């Protein structure tokens, strides 16, 4: 199952494998910087699909408003896939912040992607506040970060435990 329980909060995070493609690599045979955002997007799509199919809950419509990537380590052409662990770390009136840890085949952290995701009305395309049912789904994946962890540049010193390991 792609959902992993987070014992400290009683919530869960999502884990998915993203296969590397030939087009992900640059001329130096390392994953191109832009590919990390694609891995992040692929993982968000898997997250939504898995919530709908495995938990049988409707996911509120949202779009990415802002994204940041903190590159920790390069991924070489000897890798065949990365694993992306996704969770929500802050919820607002009409948005949430998601953190995604991207790991190589040895489970080493290679990048951290933070996004601000905004709720939208699918018909009008305008932003909207979260409903109670939206918050029920969102809060199932809420793993708050401390102040140091919430800043992308503080990722290395953070202490959030995901998958039994300190991040």
């Amino acid at each position: 199952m792609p959902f992993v329980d987070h014992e400290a909060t009683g919530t869960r995070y999502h884990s998915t494998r993203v296969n590397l493609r030939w087009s992900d690599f640059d001329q130096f045979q390392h994953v191109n910087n832009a590919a990390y955002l694609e891995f992040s997007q692929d993982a968000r799509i898997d997250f939504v699909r898995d919530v709908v199919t495995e938990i049988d809950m409707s996911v509120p419509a949202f779009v990415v408003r802002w994204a940041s990537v903190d590159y920790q380590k390069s991924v070489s052409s000897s890798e065949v896939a990365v694993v992306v662990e996704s969770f929500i770390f802050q919820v607002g009136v009409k948005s949430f912040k998601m953190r995604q840890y991207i790991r190589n085949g040895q489970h080493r952290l290679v990048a951290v992607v933070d996004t601000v995701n905004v709720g939208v009305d699918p018909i009008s395309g305008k932003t909207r506040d979260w409903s109670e049912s939206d918050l029920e789904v969102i809060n199932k994946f809420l793993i708050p970060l401390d102040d140091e962890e919430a800043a992308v540049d503080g990722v290395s010193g953070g202490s959030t435990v995901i998958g039994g390991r300190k991040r």
Side-chain angles (χ1 to χ4, degrees):
M1 185 151 161
F3 300 104
V4 182
D5 291 336
H6 185 257
E7 292 180 25
T9 60
T11 60
R12 58 186 74 163
Y13 65 94
H14 182 264
S15 181
T16 191
R17 176 187 161 110
V18 177
N19 291 325
L20 299 179
R21 304 161 294 227
W22 176 84
S23 60
D24 294 330
F25 295 93
D26 62 19
Q27 70 228 25
F28 304 111
Q29 295 305 301
H30 292 98
V31 169
N32 179 304
N33 290 353
Y36 291 86
L37 286 171
E38 290 183 30
F39 302 155
S40 171
Q41 177 67 19
D42 290 347
R44 275 191 307 280
I45 291 168
D46 283 354
F47 169 79
V48 169
R49 183 200 65 227
D50 291 341
V51 169
V52 170
T53 59
E54 297 206 18
I55 299 180
D56 195 26
M57 296 184 85
S58 177
V59 177
F62 65 90
V63 295
V64 174
R65 169 71 174 87
W66 175 89
S68 172
V69 182
D70 182 9
Y71 303 99
Q72 302 275 317
K73 180 176 176 23
S74 63
V75 176
S76 71
S77 59
S78 64
E79 300 283 344
V80 296
V82 293
V83 172
V84 183
E85 300 167 338
S86 307
F87 64 97
I88 295 165
F89 68 91
Q90 187 176 10
V91 180
V93 173
K94 60 172 72 178
S95 67
F96 62 80
K97 292 181 181 179
M98 178 178 274
R99 174 153 292 172
Q100 296 173 294
Y101 294 121
I102 301 175
R103 300 183 178 283
N104 65 13
Q106 293 76 42
H107 206 68
R108 290 194 182 106
L109 186 64
V110 296
V112 178
V113 178
D114 282 348
T115 57
V116 174
N117 305 275
V118 179
V120 294
D121 178 292
I123 295 170
S124 71
K126 296 184 182 202
T127 63
R128 66 172 185 83
D129 293 353
W130 299 124
S131 69
E132 288 300 317
S133 62
D134 294 339
L135 291 171
E136 181 182 339
V137 174
I138 291 168
N139 287 329
K140 287 186 178 299
F141 303 95
L142 178 62
I143 302 173
L145 303 176
D146 63 30
D147 290 340
E148 181 182 336
E149 292 173 308
V152 171
D153 58 353
V155 169
S156 298
S159 62
T160 296
V161 177
I162 300 291
R165 298 178 186 204
K166 245 186 185 185
R167 303 299 180 253

